[in-house]
Amino acid sequence: MDINTIREIQRPSSAEDITQWRDGYAWLAGGTWLFSEPQIATDTLIDLDQLNWLAIEPSSAGVDIAATCRIAELYRLAETGDWPAMALVQQCCNSFLASFKIWNAATIGGNICMSLPAGPMISLTVALEAIYTLHPRNAAPRDVSAVDFVTGNHANILQHGELLRSIRLPASALSKRSAFRHASLTHLGRSAALIIGTQTPGSDDLLLTITAATRQPIQLRFEHMPSAAELRRALDQRIPADGYFHDVHGSASYKRQLTHYFTEEIRAELSGTGAAA
Ligand SMILES: Cc1cc2nc3c(=O)[nH]c(=O)nc-3n(C[C@H](O)[C@H](O)[C@H](O)COP(=O)(O)OP(=O)(O)OC[C@H]3O[C@@H](n4cnc5c(N)ncnc54)[C@H](O)[C@@H]3O)c2cc1C
Protein backbone atom coordinates (compact mmCIF):
# COMPACT_ATOMS: atom_id res chain seq x y z
CA MET A 1 0.00 0.00 0.00
CA ASP A 2 1.02 3.64 -0.36
CA ILE A 3 2.00 5.08 2.98
CA ASN A 4 1.25 8.75 2.58
CA THR A 5 2.99 9.94 5.73
CA ILE A 6 6.40 9.35 4.13
CA ARG A 7 8.18 12.58 3.13
CA GLU A 8 11.70 11.25 2.53
CA ILE A 9 13.57 8.05 1.69
CA GLN A 10 17.27 7.96 2.49
CA ARG A 11 19.55 5.42 0.80
CA PRO A 12 22.88 5.47 2.68
CA SER A 13 25.80 3.37 1.46
CA SER A 14 26.92 2.87 5.06
CA ALA A 15 24.77 2.63 8.20
CA GLU A 16 27.34 4.87 9.94
CA ASP A 17 26.14 7.74 7.72
CA ILE A 18 23.01 7.84 9.90
CA THR A 19 24.44 9.47 13.00
CA GLN A 20 21.37 11.37 14.22
CA TRP A 21 18.16 9.48 14.89
CA ARG A 22 14.85 11.16 15.55
CA ASP A 23 11.21 10.14 16.02
CA GLY A 24 9.64 9.49 12.61
CA TYR A 25 12.63 7.53 11.23
CA ALA A 26 12.35 3.81 10.43
CA TRP A 27 14.80 1.35 8.90
CA LEU A 28 13.37 -0.14 5.70
CA ALA A 29 14.35 -3.75 4.93
CA GLY A 30 12.07 -5.80 2.64
CA GLY A 31 9.12 -3.52 3.45
CA THR A 32 6.67 -6.44 3.58
CA TRP A 33 5.34 -5.34 6.94
CA LEU A 34 6.10 -1.61 6.66
CA PHE A 35 4.03 -1.33 3.47
CA SER A 36 1.25 -3.60 4.74
CA GLU A 37 -0.41 -1.06 7.03
CA PRO A 38 -0.45 2.69 7.72
CA GLN A 39 2.68 3.98 9.47
CA ILE A 40 1.23 7.07 11.11
CA ALA A 41 4.31 7.78 13.23
CA THR A 42 6.83 7.41 10.37
CA ASP A 43 7.86 10.18 7.95
CA THR A 44 11.32 8.97 6.81
CA LEU A 45 12.44 5.54 5.63
CA ILE A 46 16.12 4.61 5.70
CA ASP A 47 16.61 1.92 3.10
CA LEU A 48 19.07 -0.85 4.04
CA ASP A 49 19.28 -2.15 0.48
CA GLN A 50 22.25 -0.01 -0.62
CA LEU A 51 24.42 -1.25 2.24
CA ASN A 52 25.12 -4.33 0.11
CA TRP A 53 25.92 -6.58 3.04
CA LEU A 54 27.02 -10.07 1.99
CA ALA A 55 23.91 -12.19 2.66
CA ILE A 56 25.49 -15.40 3.93
CA GLU A 57 29.05 -16.29 4.96
CA PRO A 58 29.51 -19.96 5.84
CA SER A 59 32.76 -21.02 7.56
CA SER A 60 33.99 -23.86 9.77
CA ALA A 61 32.85 -21.77 12.77
CA GLY A 62 29.24 -21.67 11.56
CA VAL A 63 27.16 -19.41 9.37
CA ASP A 64 26.99 -15.60 9.48
CA ILE A 65 23.79 -14.15 8.07
CA ALA A 66 23.33 -10.46 7.29
CA ALA A 67 20.13 -8.95 8.67
CA THR A 68 19.28 -7.99 5.07
CA CYS A 69 19.47 -11.62 3.82
CA ARG A 70 16.15 -12.56 2.16
CA ILE A 71 14.14 -15.55 3.30
CA ALA A 72 14.52 -17.03 -0.21
CA GLU A 73 18.34 -16.78 -0.01
CA LEU A 74 18.45 -18.56 3.33
CA TYR A 75 16.11 -21.26 2.01
CA ARG A 76 18.50 -21.93 -0.88
CA LEU A 77 21.48 -22.19 1.48
CA ALA A 78 19.71 -25.03 3.27
CA GLU A 79 19.61 -26.96 -0.03
CA THR A 80 23.41 -26.93 -0.19
CA GLY A 81 24.51 -26.76 3.47
CA ASP A 82 25.61 -30.03 5.06
CA TRP A 83 25.09 -29.22 8.76
CA PRO A 84 22.63 -31.68 10.37
CA ALA A 85 20.47 -28.89 11.85
CA MET A 86 20.13 -27.18 8.44
CA ALA A 87 16.85 -29.07 8.04
CA LEU A 88 15.40 -26.55 10.48
CA VAL A 89 16.03 -23.70 8.03
CA GLN A 90 13.53 -24.95 5.47
CA GLN A 91 11.08 -26.12 8.13
CA CYS A 92 11.06 -22.62 9.63
CA CYS A 93 10.86 -20.83 6.25
CA ASN A 94 7.84 -23.01 5.46
CA SER A 95 6.20 -21.82 8.68
CA PHE A 96 5.62 -18.28 7.37
CA LEU A 97 2.06 -17.32 6.55
CA ALA A 98 3.49 -16.13 3.25
CA SER A 99 4.11 -17.13 -0.34
CA PHE A 100 7.39 -17.15 -2.30
CA LYS A 101 6.63 -13.55 -3.35
CA ILE A 102 7.03 -12.45 0.26
CA TRP A 103 10.09 -14.71 0.66
CA ASN A 104 11.84 -12.83 -2.17
CA ALA A 105 11.47 -9.49 -0.37
CA ALA A 106 11.23 -10.18 3.37
CA THR A 107 14.50 -10.28 5.28
CA ILE A 108 15.67 -12.35 8.22
CA GLY A 109 16.41 -9.16 10.19
CA GLY A 110 13.00 -7.66 9.41
CA ASN A 111 11.30 -10.76 10.75
CA ILE A 112 13.38 -10.76 13.92
CA CYS A 113 12.87 -7.02 14.52
CA MET A 114 9.10 -7.35 14.00
CA SER A 115 9.30 -9.61 17.05
CA LEU A 116 5.92 -11.27 16.53
CA PRO A 117 5.28 -14.49 18.50
CA ALA A 118 4.86 -16.28 15.14
CA GLY A 119 8.15 -15.00 13.68
CA PRO A 120 9.74 -18.20 12.33
CA MET A 121 13.21 -16.65 11.91
CA ILE A 122 13.11 -15.95 15.64
CA SER A 123 12.23 -19.60 16.30
CA LEU A 124 15.06 -20.77 14.03
CA THR A 125 17.79 -18.52 15.37
CA VAL A 126 16.88 -18.98 19.02
CA ALA A 127 16.83 -22.77 18.61
CA LEU A 128 20.23 -22.59 16.89
CA GLU A 129 21.64 -20.55 19.79
CA ALA A 130 22.42 -17.58 17.56
CA ILE A 131 24.24 -14.43 18.55
CA TYR A 132 22.85 -11.19 17.14
CA THR A 133 25.16 -8.24 16.50
CA LEU A 134 23.44 -4.92 17.09
CA HIS A 135 24.72 -1.53 15.93
CA PRO A 136 23.53 1.30 18.19
CA ARG A 137 23.75 4.86 16.85
CA ASN A 138 26.97 6.49 18.10
CA ALA A 139 28.14 3.58 20.26
CA ALA A 140 30.15 0.40 19.84
CA PRO A 141 28.43 -2.69 18.39
CA ARG A 142 27.11 -5.17 20.94
CA ASP A 143 26.38 -8.92 20.81
CA VAL A 144 23.29 -10.45 22.42
CA SER A 145 21.97 -13.99 22.63
CA ALA A 146 18.99 -14.53 20.35
CA VAL A 147 16.95 -15.86 23.25
CA ASP A 148 17.26 -12.51 25.06
CA PHE A 149 16.23 -10.30 22.12
CA VAL A 150 12.42 -10.57 21.95
CA THR A 151 10.74 -9.40 25.14
CA GLY A 152 7.03 -9.61 24.23
CA ASN A 153 4.50 -9.43 21.39
CA HIS A 154 6.06 -6.92 18.94
CA ALA A 155 8.62 -5.86 21.59
CA ASN A 156 12.39 -6.30 21.77
CA ILE A 157 15.54 -4.87 23.32
CA LEU A 158 16.48 -2.60 20.36
CA GLN A 159 17.21 0.93 21.50
CA HIS A 160 16.21 4.07 19.60
CA GLY A 161 17.70 3.79 16.09
CA GLU A 162 19.62 0.61 16.87
CA LEU A 163 20.19 -1.66 13.88
CA LEU A 164 20.31 -5.45 13.79
CA ARG A 165 23.42 -6.05 11.66
CA SER A 166 23.92 -9.83 11.60
CA ILE A 167 23.07 -13.20 13.02
CA ARG A 168 25.74 -15.80 13.80
CA LEU A 169 24.72 -19.48 13.89
CA PRO A 170 27.52 -21.36 15.71
CA ALA A 171 28.84 -24.67 14.37
CA SER A 172 28.20 -26.28 17.76
CA ALA A 173 24.44 -25.74 17.35
CA LEU A 174 24.36 -26.47 13.61
CA SER A 175 25.91 -29.89 14.23
CA LYS A 176 23.10 -30.98 16.59
CA ARG A 177 20.25 -33.40 15.89
CA SER A 178 16.91 -31.67 15.75
CA ALA A 179 13.19 -32.33 15.97
CA PHE A 180 10.58 -29.84 14.76
CA ARG A 181 6.85 -29.49 15.41
CA HIS A 182 4.52 -26.82 14.10
CA ALA A 183 0.76 -26.24 14.08
CA SER A 184 -1.57 -23.63 12.74
CA LEU A 185 -5.36 -23.40 13.00
CA THR A 186 -5.65 -22.85 9.25
CA HIS A 187 -3.80 -24.35 6.28
CA LEU A 188 -0.70 -22.16 5.69
CA GLY A 189 -1.94 -19.91 8.50
CA ARG A 190 0.02 -18.08 11.15
CA SER A 191 1.68 -20.43 13.67
CA ALA A 192 -0.13 -21.33 16.88
CA ALA A 193 2.91 -23.25 18.14
CA LEU A 194 6.40 -23.76 16.69
CA ILE A 195 8.58 -25.92 18.89
CA ILE A 196 12.12 -27.16 18.24
CA GLY A 197 14.26 -29.62 20.16
CA THR A 198 17.99 -30.02 19.62
CA GLN A 199 20.50 -32.50 20.99
CA THR A 200 24.31 -32.59 21.00
CA PRO A 201 25.62 -35.56 18.99
CA GLY A 202 26.58 -38.50 21.23
CA SER A 203 24.85 -37.07 24.29
CA ASP A 204 21.38 -37.28 25.85
CA ASP A 205 20.91 -33.56 26.52
CA LEU A 206 17.91 -31.62 25.27
CA LEU A 207 17.39 -27.96 24.38
CA LEU A 208 13.72 -27.11 23.85
CA THR A 209 12.68 -23.85 22.20
CA ILE A 210 9.03 -22.90 22.46
CA THR A 211 7.73 -20.13 20.18
CA ALA A 212 4.42 -18.81 18.76
CA ALA A 213 2.50 -20.33 21.69
CA THR A 214 4.11 -17.78 24.00
CA ARG A 215 4.67 -14.01 23.65
CA GLN A 216 8.43 -14.44 23.51
CA PRO A 217 10.67 -17.48 22.99
CA ILE A 218 11.01 -19.75 26.00
CA GLN A 219 13.98 -22.09 26.22
CA LEU A 220 14.34 -25.11 28.50
CA ARG A 221 17.77 -26.71 28.77
CA PHE A 222 18.19 -30.24 30.19
CA GLU A 223 21.64 -31.75 30.75
CA HIS A 224 20.09 -35.21 30.47
CA MET A 225 16.90 -36.30 28.75
CA PRO A 226 14.02 -35.74 31.19
CA SER A 227 11.26 -38.29 31.78
CA ALA A 228 7.79 -37.36 30.49
CA ALA A 229 6.77 -36.36 34.04
CA GLU A 230 9.91 -34.27 34.56
CA LEU A 231 9.29 -32.48 31.28
CA ARG A 232 5.66 -31.72 32.18
CA ARG A 233 6.75 -30.37 35.57
CA ALA A 234 9.49 -28.20 34.06
CA LEU A 235 7.05 -26.77 31.50
CA ASP A 236 4.45 -25.90 34.12
CA GLN A 237 7.08 -24.30 36.35
CA ARG A 238 8.44 -22.20 33.50
CA ILE A 239 5.18 -21.27 31.75
CA PRO A 240 2.12 -20.67 33.96
CA ALA A 241 -1.32 -21.29 32.36
CA ASP A 242 -1.70 -17.53 31.71
CA GLY A 243 1.80 -17.38 30.19
CA TYR A 244 0.52 -18.62 26.80
CA PHE A 245 -0.34 -16.13 24.05
CA HIS A 246 -4.04 -15.76 23.32
CA ASP A 247 -4.98 -14.35 19.89
CA VAL A 248 -7.10 -15.12 16.82
CA HIS A 249 -4.62 -17.87 15.91
CA GLY A 250 -5.49 -19.87 19.03
CA SER A 251 -6.56 -19.56 22.64
CA ALA A 252 -4.04 -19.75 25.45
CA SER A 253 -5.40 -23.13 26.60
CA TYR A 254 -5.19 -24.56 23.05
CA LYS A 255 -1.58 -23.38 22.75
CA ARG A 256 -0.77 -24.88 26.14
CA GLN A 257 -2.18 -28.24 25.00
CA LEU A 258 -0.16 -28.06 21.77
CA THR A 259 3.00 -27.19 23.69
CA HIS A 260 2.64 -30.16 26.03
CA TYR A 261 1.78 -32.52 23.17
CA PHE A 262 4.61 -31.41 20.87
CA THR A 263 7.31 -31.22 23.54
CA GLU A 264 6.50 -34.80 24.58
CA GLU A 265 6.71 -35.91 20.94
CA ILE A 266 10.08 -34.18 20.60
CA ARG A 267 11.30 -35.74 23.85
CA ALA A 268 10.32 -39.19 22.56
CA GLU A 269 11.87 -38.59 19.14
CA LEU A 270 15.21 -37.40 20.49
CA SER A 271 15.22 -40.14 23.16
CA GLY A 272 15.14 -42.63 20.34
CA THR A 273 11.81 -44.03 21.54
CA GLY A 274 9.50 -42.05 19.26
CA ALA A 275 8.01 -43.22 15.98
CA ALA A 276 10.13 -40.73 14.05
CA ALA A 277 13.42 -41.78 15.75
C1 LIG B 1 1.26 -12.01 3.46
C2 LIG B 1 2.16 -11.75 4.65
C3 LIG B 1 2.39 -12.79 5.51
C4 LIG B 1 3.22 -12.62 6.66
N1 LIG B 1 3.44 -13.69 7.49
C5 LIG B 1 4.17 -13.51 8.61
C6 LIG B 1 4.40 -14.58 9.53
O1 LIG B 1 3.90 -15.70 9.36
N2 LIG B 1 5.16 -14.35 10.63
C7 LIG B 1 5.73 -13.12 10.86
O2 LIG B 1 6.42 -12.94 11.87
N3 LIG B 1 5.54 -12.10 10.01
C8 LIG B 1 4.78 -12.24 8.91
N4 LIG B 1 4.57 -11.19 8.05
C9 LIG B 1 5.13 -9.86 8.42
C10 LIG B 1 6.46 -9.54 7.69
O3 LIG B 1 6.30 -9.68 6.31
C11 LIG B 1 7.62 -10.45 8.13
O4 LIG B 1 7.80 -10.38 9.53
C12 LIG B 1 8.92 -10.08 7.41
O5 LIG B 1 9.92 -11.04 7.68
C13 LIG B 1 9.42 -8.69 7.75
O6 LIG B 1 10.64 -8.49 7.06
P1 LIG B 1 10.90 -7.24 6.12
O7 LIG B 1 12.30 -7.34 5.66
O8 LIG B 1 9.87 -7.11 5.04
O9 LIG B 1 10.72 -6.06 7.19
P2 LIG B 1 10.20 -4.56 7.01
O10 LIG B 1 8.74 -4.55 6.72
O11 LIG B 1 11.10 -3.79 6.09
O12 LIG B 1 10.48 -4.05 8.51
C14 LIG B 1 9.78 -4.61 9.60
C15 LIG B 1 10.17 -3.82 10.88
O13 LIG B 1 11.50 -4.13 11.29
C16 LIG B 1 12.33 -2.97 11.29
N5 LIG B 1 13.63 -3.44 10.76
C17 LIG B 1 13.82 -4.13 9.61
N6 LIG B 1 15.10 -4.51 9.51
C18 LIG B 1 15.75 -4.03 10.61
C19 LIG B 1 17.08 -4.11 11.07
N7 LIG B 1 18.05 -4.78 10.40
N8 LIG B 1 17.40 -3.52 12.27
C20 LIG B 1 16.44 -2.85 12.98
N9 LIG B 1 15.15 -2.77 12.58
C21 LIG B 1 14.81 -3.35 11.41
C22 LIG B 1 11.62 -1.96 10.39
O14 LIG B 1 11.94 -0.62 10.74
C23 LIG B 1 10.15 -2.30 10.70
O15 LIG B 1 9.76 -1.73 11.93
C24 LIG B 1 3.78 -11.35 6.91
C25 LIG B 1 3.55 -10.30 6.01
C26 LIG B 1 2.75 -10.50 4.90
C27 LIG B 1 2.51 -9.32 3.97
Side-chain angles (χ1 to χ4, degrees):
M1 66 155 29
D2 291 338
I3 40 179
N4 58 12
T5 52
I6 302 302
R7 300 279 166 262
E8 186 184 1
I9 300 182
Q10 295 187 21
R11 294 195 170 84
S13 54
S14 160
E16 279 62 53
D17 294 349
I18 309 297
T19 51
Q20 301 299 320
W21 192 266
R22 63 161 175 79
D23 289 343
Y25 276 15
W27 298 112
L28 167 64
T32 59
W33 176 76
L34 274 170
F35 291 107
S36 72
E37 56 184 75
Q39 303 293 340
I40 306 295
T42 304
D43 59 50
T44 301
L45 295 175
I46 303 179
D47 194 346
L48 301 175
D49 206 41
Q50 312 294 313
L51 302 181
N52 288 320
W53 292 336
L54 185 59
I56 297 173
E57 287 180 82
S59 72
S60 57
V63 176
D64 279 301
I65 304 167
T68 47
C69 174
R70 314 273 165 192
I71 309 299
E73 291 175 291
L74 187 65
Y75 191 88
R76 283 196 293 274
L77 166 81
E79 285 166 352
T80 57
D82 55 1
W83 301 99
M86 269 296 168
L88 291 172
V89 169
Q90 295 195 340
Q91 289 166 321
C92 288
C93 290
N94 284 320
S95 302
F96 268 100
L97 157 65
S99 70
F100 68 91
K101 288 178 273 185
I102 299 290
W103 283 16
N104 283 327
T107 64
I108 316 301
N111 188 246
I112 292 170
C113 294
M114 279 298 297
S115 301
L116 300 176
M121 297 300 104
I122 300 167
S123 318
L124 174 72
T125 55
V126 172
L128 291 179
E129 301 165 69
I131 301 293
Y132 297 164
T133 299
L134 310 182
H135 283 194
R137 297 304 85 212
N138 302 319
R142 59 178 180 138
D143 284 351
V144 299
S145 294
V147 69
D148 297 326
F149 183 82
V150 177
T151 54
N153 177 23
H154 204 17
N156 59 46
I157 63 166
L158 281 179
Q159 292 167 5
H160 209 49
E162 196 166 25
L163 183 64
L164 171 60
R165 167 64 182 86
S166 58
I167 299 110
R168 188 176 332 122
L169 305 179
S172 54
L174 286 165
S175 52
K176 290 185 175 184
R177 297 173 70 199
S178 65
F180 172 94
R181 295 292 186 281
H182 171 248
S184 164
L185 269 181
T186 49
H187 181 54
L188 298 178
R190 189 164 279 187
S191 306
L194 196 167
I195 303 180
I196 295 171
T198 59
Q199 185 177 58
T200 313
S203 101
D204 73 338
D205 64 3
L206 174 66
L207 181 64
L208 271 178
T209 302
I210 297 156
T211 56
T214 50
R215 284 176 192 79
Q216 74 252 47
I218 302 283
Q219 214 161 40
L220 296 174
R221 195 180 286 272
F222 300 90
E223 274 184 38
H224 298 286
M225 188 58 75
S227 66
E230 285 166 343
L231 173 59
R232 268 198 310 278
R233 230 179 0 259
L235 273 177
D236 284 338
Q237 272 171 7
R238 188 66 193 280
I239 317 174
D242 63 0
Y244 290 88
F245 181 56
H246 176 98
D247 69 351
V248 293
H249 307 289
S251 67
S253 62
Y254 169 66
K255 291 180 181 179
R256 179 173 180 274
Q257 294 289 336
L258 282 180
T259 301
H260 277 260
Y261 184 76
F262 283 158
T263 51
E264 173 51 25
E265 279 198 346
I266 289 173
R267 190 195 70 82
E269 183 177 333
L270 292 179
S271 300
T273 57

